[in-house]
Amino acid sequence: DQQVKQNSPSLSVQEGRISILNCDYTNSMFDYFLWYKKYPAEGPTFLISISSIKDKNEDGRFTVFLNKSAKHLSLHIVPSQPGDSAVYFCAASWGHNNDMRFGAGTRLTVKP
Amino acid sequence: SQTIHQWPATLVQPVGSPLSLECTVEGTSNPNLYWYRQAAGRGLQLLFYSVGIGQISSEVPQNLSASRPQDRQFILSSKKLLLSDSGFYLCAGTGSGTEAFFGQGTRLTVV
């Protein structure tokens, strides 16, 4: 059962434009959400996170939005840069046990 | 800081041979540990997760098994590899912090 879903396997964006990566989840117990960035043959690296008590968190060019009623979150990258090209994973966790689930990932390609 | 040591980084194995990938954790106790696989051109798939010694949950039926003989050790195994087992295997953990931490991954090619 895939509790965290990224329905777009790939996304292509022009340099300087906005990239919007989407993620949906099914488990209402999730209370903390994270985005990770992964380059080929490397482990993912943490990018940005948001707690369920917030609906927006911003860090430089990266902003994560959370819509709890829709069980949906998104990552906005503005402006997009070629170096942002990577696979982005959405993750969700819950409870003191900090169990975590990842989406399948979205491959972002930023074209110069 | 919480870290995972995962080895080997690359592995080429013939069909039918056994497999053992190991990851060890430093910097935290009683972590939740995960084995993920990323097949070529596909997303990250959860294979196994463990909340403690000897406790293994499997997400998908497969040719692989996992074991957790010690709190900070998580092993992925197979008795006989298939071509479809090729992929990038990633060990991950969650501990006292809110973020997951990852090994560097193992690229397995079954020939």
Side-chain angles (χ1 to χ4, degrees):
Chain A
D1 178 27
Q2 192 77 7
Q3 298 184 44
V4 178
K5 299 179 182 179
Q6 293 175 257
N7 293 319
S8 298
S10 63
L11 175 68
S12 183
V13 172
Q14 205 67 34
E15 181 178 8
R17 307 294 291 269
I18 184 172
S19 295
I20 300 177
L21 301 155
N22 293 303
C23 178
D24 297 292
Y25 61 95
T26 57
N27 190 338
S28 59
M29 297 296 291
F30 288 134
D31 57 10
Y32 198 76
F33 304 88
L34 310 94
W35 284 94
Y36 288 82
K37 179 179 179 180
K38 182 184 180 300
Y39 293 112
E42 295 182 7
T45 56
F46 170 74
L47 195 57
I48 193 170
S49 64
I50 188 168
S51 166
S52 62
I53 63 174
K54 296 184 176 181
D55 55 17
K56 177 183 176 181
N57 188 27
E58 190 172 355
D59 183 3
R61 296 186 296 114
F62 302 91
T63 303
V64 55
F65 295 92
L66 176 62
N67 182 335
K68 282 177 291 183
S69 61
K71 294 190 176 69
H72 177 84
L73 67 155
S74 60
L75 174 68
H76 291 211
I77 306 174
V78 184
S80 302
Q81 299 173 355
D84 295 329
S85 298
V87 178
Y88 289 78
F89 293 99
C90 167
S93 66
W94 77 94
H96 66 278
N97 203 36
N98 204 19
D99 200 2
M100 187 173 291
R101 292 289 182 269
F102 284 83
T106 297
R107 181 177 300 280
L108 173 66
T109 303
V110 180
K111 299 179 179 178
Chain B
S1 63
Q2 301 163 122
T3 58
I4 287 181
H5 299 281
Q6 182 182 343
W7 68 93
T10 59
L11 189 60
V12 179
Q13 291 283 99
V15 169
S17 64
L19 173 73
S20 181
L21 300 180
E22 183 171 346
C23 75
T24 58
V25 177
E26 291 183 359
T28 188
S29 296
N30 196 31
N32 290 348
L33 295 175
Y34 308 82
W35 277 111
Y36 284 89
R37 174 173 61 200
Q38 185 176 22
R42 303 183 66 179
L44 208 59
Q45 180 186 35
L46 178 62
L47 301 177
F48 300 96
Y49 70 93
S50 171
V51 298
I53 297 173
Q55 301 180 65
I56 307 294
S57 296
S58 175
E59 289 289 301
V60 293
Q62 58 199 301
N63 182 42
L64 302 167
S65 62
S67 62
R68 189 165 175 181
Q70 301 179 40
D71 179 49
R72 300 180 187 184
Q73 185 183 27
F74 201 27
I75 299 171
L76 183 69
S77 304
S78 174
K79 293 182 179 179
K80 290 185 178 181
L81 283 170
L82 306 172
L83 288 174
S84 58
D85 292 324
S86 294
F88 184 75
Y89 289 82
L90 190 66
C91 180
T94 56
S96 55
T98 52
E99 299 168 23
F101 47 101
F102 300 90
Q104 283 303 296
T106 299
R107 179 157 302 282
L108 171 66
T109 304
V110 182
V111 297

